[in-house]
Amino acid sequence: MTARTVRGEKNLQNIHQSSKDGIGGSPLRPDGVLKVRGEFAYSSDLWHEDMLWGTALRSPHPRANILSVDVSAALAVPGVYAVLTHEDVPGEKYYGLEIADQPVLAIDKVRYHGEAIALVAADHPETARRAAKKIRVEYEVLTPITTEEQCLHPEVHGYVHEPHEYRSHAHGNVCHEQRLVSGLGVTDEVRALADVVVSGEYEVGMQDQAFLGPESGLAVPAEDGGVDLYVATQWLHVDRQQMAPVLGLPPERVRLTLAGVGGAFGGREDLSMQIHACLLALRTGKPVKIVYSRDESFFGHVHRHPARMRYEHGATRDGRLVFADCRIVLDGGAYASASPAVVGNAASLGHGPYVIPNVRMHAIALYSNNPSCGAMRGFGAVQAAFGYESQMDRLAEALGMDPVELRQLNAVAQGDRMPTGQEIDAPAPVAELLQRVKDMPLPPPLDPEHLDVRTLPGALSNSSHGEGIVRGVGYSVGIKNVGFSEGFDDYSTAKVRLEVIGGEPVAMVHTAMAEVGQGGVTVHAQIARTELGVEQVTIHPANTEVGSAGSTSASRQTYMTGGAVKLAAEAVRHELLERGRRRYGWTRTDLSLAGSKVVSASAGVLVPIVDLLGEDVIEQTREHRHRPTVPFDKETGQGFGHVQYTFCANRAVVDVDVELGLVKVVELTAVQDVGKALNPLSVVGQIQGGCTQALGLAVMEEIVLRDGKVRNASFTDYLIPTILDTPPIPVQLLELPDPHAPYGLRGVGEAPTVSATPSIVAAIRQATGKALTRIPVRPEHLTDTL
């Protein structure tokens, strides 16, 4: 029987009182108090007494040829030390996360609104900005390619990247595509097996990561001709991998150290100011700091891919799914970024956590003159979940079935195969998650006699006193992969050191993991305490002096870098115990470390660690790799492409003012299988944060574009949920260990972002009767004022 643990809401209320600081406990974050007090040092707080300030001149056009660039007026501004264009790049002129298709600075054309053209370094940020405005660029403005129709007909509308340029684009404006066929596919014969067929077209807007700390960093030129960069990022080593060829330097002379990160959610996986700051520092011989303004941040990082999707599902009269026919078109924007991986996720997960005998899928990412899109929490799976979960509700209505029961009837379980042919060889309690979320208590109904207007849609605007308010309840479930997929060599490195300091054994953990808020610095200390039996653990600053930890994305860091810390700590423990065996002649096999002592299960305490270690130091470095995956077949989509699946179910309760089109999410419940909660309090925080970001996508967050131009690059016009918008989020954890993962854990952070949005929209549909095929849902969608 599979081991299981269920943590209910009552359990979670007392998690913070746990006295355990190892695995399974919930010690508080070491940086938490500083952040709450506003005393934490973020990358934007970096300072050097001799530093200059850098900035970029950005294109006002989404598509144009550059005819000339004149920097003479900018160079003449007092206080300006350097003005650079693409001609000043010493090495490779292109870089990219997966495909090197993005110029460091625009060369002969611009491909999106806000593309960097020139750089300025000056002794004051205002001087730098003023000088940048004096750079004269002559453009030949072209009609931007912004729609699917335009992208797929380059013979009429042109190419975003001309086929004869630095790389061949054999498919015109297609960046990447993936097909999938399972069973018999979707043929006329298969369609005839279905008693009920439903179809729908769905659209997802462009969401921004909206992290609160803008892109920033400090580049310091070094005596060896290299450069030291202190930066907020998600992946130190892949940053260096892209930067070194551009700077014309060997990798060992490009040294990166993680600075304080004010949120990421995928938006810091690509380069932003890294190369620009280093170019200016190397040219001027002085430290250069770059801090984006908020509007520049909207232009300076990738966003979530907007999507257009077509789904068709067929089922028998009793609700069994027969087929799914799907097409997902993602707008990748001007440059590839992570689009290939996003397409792979959309194609392989785009059918949801359901058993579907016959599937046909075509997922595609297009190049356009819209802003570049790439990694964002749950990438690829988020867009698809809105499509397939909307279909489940539509199918349930057509069959006259309860929407939860329909989902449970078709839910995958351990031993089933995904449409990719991959067997699910770990627990997959999808039906149980749905049942648990359905069984959790509902919030009390509206009481017309005792209404608090602050709790109604419109809140303090006093727009309603209960009239026109309708309540709805909606359900959803989602699936997300964990870790890098499709044959990627996904690994993490950790160094663990044990020594005596001040009469106590102290462990030091050194990784290149980017702490972006996910809590890795806490979990790594917990792992070291558990494996080495010591209380004092120091987390070394993350930098490129140690091997790569991979990206803080794909819900992988606790799995991968946590796994590396575990391996390195186990190696230290083994060496320490071997030393004891040699010194004391121990032959016991039941030795372990606990309470800063070597203990035996049968004989008790044998010796304090400090006595056994003395003045020596034990240090071990280990790499952790998950089991190998393979690329999906390009035409059939078959293959063991993902290392782990994770599942979350949600129930949303909403109140809707049907007259004004205002929505209040009253409660958003989540039940998730986390395998093993290494830090339960942190796990709950991740789930609640993921649900909140999903709420934003459901009802308010969208980058608005008009002919390729961003119209709302500010937090005045781009709205994100505040504390007043965020409802209670009761969480229940299910712990069914994955036998392939360290401690049996599952990645946590992305699954609720995948699953929560559809539940909110489903609840609004129930309240209003509207079809609601596009997100975010806006007031005009609910009041027929479009």
Side-chain angles (χ1 to χ4, degrees), residues 154-231:
E155 72 281 2
V156 176
H157 303 283
Y159 294 91
V160 177
H161 298 272
E162 295 292 337
H164 65 270
E165 290 184 285
Y166 52 92
R167 63 183 296 271
S168 173
H169 293 269
H171 301 289
N173 290 322
V174 175
C175 174
H176 189 77
E177 62 184 323
Q178 175 68 61
R179 298 180 185 273
L180 185 149
V181 179
S182 69
L184 299 175
V186 181
T187 63
D188 291 342
E189 292 77 10
V190 168
R191 291 180 188 277
L193 299 175
D195 298 310
V196 176
V197 175
V198 298
S199 61
E201 295 185 359
Y202 305 96
E203 187 174 352
V204 178
M206 181 184 290
Q207 188 181 19
D208 189 74
Q209 294 84 352
F211 40 72
L212 298 187
E215 291 84 345
S216 52
L218 176 68
V220 182
E223 292 182 358
D224 64 356
V227 64
D228 293 281
L229 178 65
Y230 304 86
V231 66

Side-chain angles (χ1 to χ4, degrees), residues 41-47 53 213-217 232 259-260 289-292:
Y42 290 98
S43 57
S44 55
D45 297 313
L46 291 165
W47 188 265
W53 297 79
E215 291 84 345
S216 52
K289 178 178 178 177
I290 293 180
V291 179
Y292 283 1

